[in-house]
Amino acid sequence: MNILIVDDQAFIREIIMREFCQVASSTLFHFKEADCGNTAIKILSESPIDVSTQFDLVIADLKMENGDGLAIINHMATTRSREIPLAIVSSSDKRTLELVGNITNSFSLNLIGVFQKPVNTKEIYASVIAKKNQTQPKPELNIETPVCHSGNITSLMNEDNLFLCYQPKIEIATGKLVGFEVLSRLCIQGDGFIYPDKFIPLVEDAGLNCQLTKLVLSQALSQWHLFDSLKKYRLSINMSANDLLSDDFIDYVIDKRLCNADIKLMLELTESQQTINQDRALQAIAKLIINDIPISLDDFGKSYSTLDRLDSIPFEEIKIDKDFVSDLDKNPQHQAIVESIIALAKNLNVKVVAEGVETLAIQNRLLKMGCHCAQGYFISPPIEGRYLIPWINSYNRQREQKYANC
């Protein structure tokens, strides 16, 4: 096993080498050392063409003079070295290590892990072996044209191919069902479902975002008219910030609202797009609100959160991004972030919805924090329209029995 150890302290390099030989005494190790990032980069740059075969592992300290660990990460991310298993070690605090781990993963490097000093060589070796065992040889596949691509996305945008699901939203304190978020899929006969992460970027690139939102809105309203019992629940439709720049779209939504006054419509605005700060977009939001169409700020905290938006725009609710909620019971940093968002919303008299609630423990934690509503797989995955009424009836019966026994 060939290992490159990068650390500016010779005694640490010696300890790592000695402990590796003790941890796996039956393994033949070949070590190469570098006392700084620049030396390590030179070693990697002078490697043979198939550099990934020269080293089975690179262990790199973060804090070094003459090229630190981040310099090594950047080099590996842009060269043939990107496939080499990489272990980062440092005496930095846990939050810094998590940040470096996120940076490394964003480069799609073969990261074994980020480990705090003093180095636990046994843990590093076990992680290397575990990752190696998880790696499966990639079968040779014929390259096929994806079923959804830039060449056919326009023709796919129609009622026949659009398929809607509805994810419920509950009031945490009472368990009361309060509404549903509409989630779109493309359903092509013979090819199954295509999910938003695949087709939404194509839709936006083709300038079809308004057309898609109109289709979703029209079909969801039709579903709500099938059963009067649905009209007691809020119907939330996702809208991109770019939709706000279309006067035709805004007029379409307002017209739909006027023609369907018995349906409690809400628009969920993805907050990660800077378009929202444009005057034209702000005017569109005001026009919607004036016409009794409340706005929810979706994915709050994800990538473009600004407090001035909460101060200047009368959102009815904000939805905490699922990345902060899904590990709330285990991640103290996310717990602090969620608590701060809930406190801020309370002071602004704005309701809070937590997305990504996947366990009872997380839901109970949110209840203690004072979060209003929850949405996620613990409550229910997205539901097909044909199963909506049976699901609602079943959920309400279970809720009644639960509270009757209390």
Side-chain angles (χ1 to χ4, degrees), residues 186-204:
L186 288 182
C187 182
I188 302 174
Q189 191 170 7
D191 292 313
F193 293 124
I194 305 172
Y195 289 87
D197 62 324
K198 301 295 183 184
F199 69 80
I200 292 296
L202 297 173
V203 168
E204 292 177 346

Side-chain angles (χ1 to χ4, degrees), residues 159-405:
E159 288 276 1
D160 292 335
N161 294 327
L162 184 65
F163 183 86
L164 300 185
C165 292
Y166 304 85
Q167 189 163 35
K169 183 193 304 181
I170 67 163
E171 191 176 79
I172 299 177
T174 63
K176 180 182 177 182
L177 183 61
V178 294
F180 293 85
E181 177 185 358
V182 183
L183 302 172
S184 59
R185 315 278 189 258
L186 288 182
C187 182
I188 302 174
Q189 191 170 7
D191 292 313
F193 293 124
I194 305 172
Y195 289 87
D197 62 324
K198 301 295 183 184
F199 69 80
I200 292 296
L202 297 173
V203 168
E204 292 177 346
D205 289 344
L208 300 171
N209 46 288
C210 288
Q211 180 179 332
L212 174 61
T213 309
K214 287 180 180 180
L215 286 171
V216 172
L217 176 58
S218 176
Q219 191 175 125
L221 289 173
S222 297
Q223 176 74 39
W224 245 235
H225 276 299
L226 290 177
F227 303 95
D228 284 339
S229 59
L230 288 176
K231 295 178 183 178
K232 68 177 73 171
Y233 304 112
R234 175 83 74 185
L235 180 64
S236 298
I237 307 291
N238 288 294
M239 171 183 64
S240 76
N242 287 326
D243 291 336
L244 296 172
L245 303 182
S246 169
D247 293 335
D248 173 71
F249 172 78
I250 299 302
D251 291 339
Y252 178 88
V253 175
I254 293 173
D255 182 63
K256 285 290 186 181
R257 168 71 181 85
L258 293 174
C259 295
N260 300 273
D262 55 343
I263 293 177
K264 296 187 286 186
L265 178 65
M266 173 181 278
L267 295 180
E268 293 192 8
L269 177 63
T270 302
E271 68 94 24
S272 60
Q273 302 181 47
Q274 298 186 22
T275 309
I276 191 175
N277 281 344
Q278 298 184 19
D279 290 340
R280 189 175 172 188
L282 293 174
Q283 290 176 20
I285 291 174
K287 191 172 181 180
L288 291 168
I289 293 174
I290 289 170
N291 283 275
D292 298 321
I293 303 174
I295 308 294
S296 170
L297 187 56
D298 199 10
D299 297 337
F300 185 79
K302 189 171 185 180
S303 60
Y304 193 65
S305 301
T306 56
L307 298 181
D308 63 331
R309 219 169 316 148
L310 287 178
D311 180 49
S312 61
I313 302 173
F315 293 106
E316 180 161 311
E317 70 175 25
I318 58 176
K319 301 185 75 174
I320 305 175
D321 184 72
K322 62 183 179 182
D323 288 347
F324 297 114
V325 177
S326 60
D327 62 350
L328 187 63
D329 55 335
K330 302 174 183 177
N331 191 321
Q333 291 171 230
H334 288 174
Q335 183 177 338
I337 291 171
V338 171
E339 285 178 335
S340 298
I341 294 174
I342 293 172
L344 174 64
K346 183 178 180 180
N347 289 333
L348 294 173
N349 197 28
V350 178
K351 289 185 178 180
V352 182
V353 179
E355 297 183 287
V357 177
E358 298 184 355
T359 66
L360 178 60
I362 292 175
Q363 183 169 300
N364 288 339
R365 182 66 62 90
L366 288 166
L367 177 62
K368 291 179 181 178
M369 290 180 177
C371 185
H372 300 98
C373 296
Q375 180 180 332
Y377 273 65
F378 175 70
I379 300 152
S380 174
I383 305 161
E384 291 184 32
R386 56 180 171 166
Y387 300 126
L388 204 50
I389 294 299
W391 184 90
I392 291 172
N393 292 337
S394 175
Y395 177 85
N396 286 335
R397 280 196 302 270
Q398 292 178 24
R399 175 177 172 270
E400 289 173 3
Q401 291 172 1
K402 176 182 177 181
Y403 282 88
N405 295 330

Side-chain angles (χ1 to χ4, degrees), residues 91-199:
S91 56
S92 300
D93 60 84
K94 184 179 178 181
R95 292 187 64 184
T96 302
L97 296 183
E98 289 179 353
L99 173 61
V100 173
N102 291 334
I103 292 172
T104 309
N105 283 323
S106 71
F107 288 136
S108 298
L109 293 177
N110 188 4
L111 181 65
I112 295 300
V114 183
F115 305 89
Q116 197 158 29
K117 286 185 174 180
V119 177
N120 185 332
T121 309
K122 184 177 181 180
E123 182 182 4
I124 295 177
Y125 181 75
S127 299
V128 172
I129 298 303
K131 184 118 183 191
K132 187 176 181 180
N133 290 337
Q134 290 174 1
T135 304
Q136 300 294 331
K138 297 180 181 179
E140 294 185 7
L141 300 174
N142 294 326
I143 299 176
E144 298 179 358
T145 303
V147 70
C148 182
H149 51 81
S150 58
N152 69 354
I153 189 63
T154 301
S155 62
L156 294 177
M157 283 294 103
N158 57 62
E159 288 276 1
D160 292 335
N161 294 327
L162 184 65
F163 183 86
L164 300 185
C165 292
Y166 304 85
Q167 189 163 35
K169 183 193 304 181
I170 67 163
E171 191 176 79
I172 299 177
T174 63
K176 180 182 177 182
L177 183 61
V178 294
F180 293 85
E181 177 185 358
V182 183
L183 302 172
S184 59
R185 315 278 189 258
L186 288 182
C187 182
I188 302 174
Q189 191 170 7
D191 292 313
F193 293 124
I194 305 172
Y195 289 87
D197 62 324
K198 301 295 183 184
F199 69 80

Side-chain angles (χ1 to χ4, degrees), residues 56-75:
D56 300 294
L57 176 65
V58 173
I59 301 175
D61 187 22
L62 268 185
K63 189 176 181 180
M64 297 178 290
E65 295 183 1
N66 299 319
D68 55 20
L70 290 173
I72 297 173
I73 291 170
N74 287 326
H75 171 79

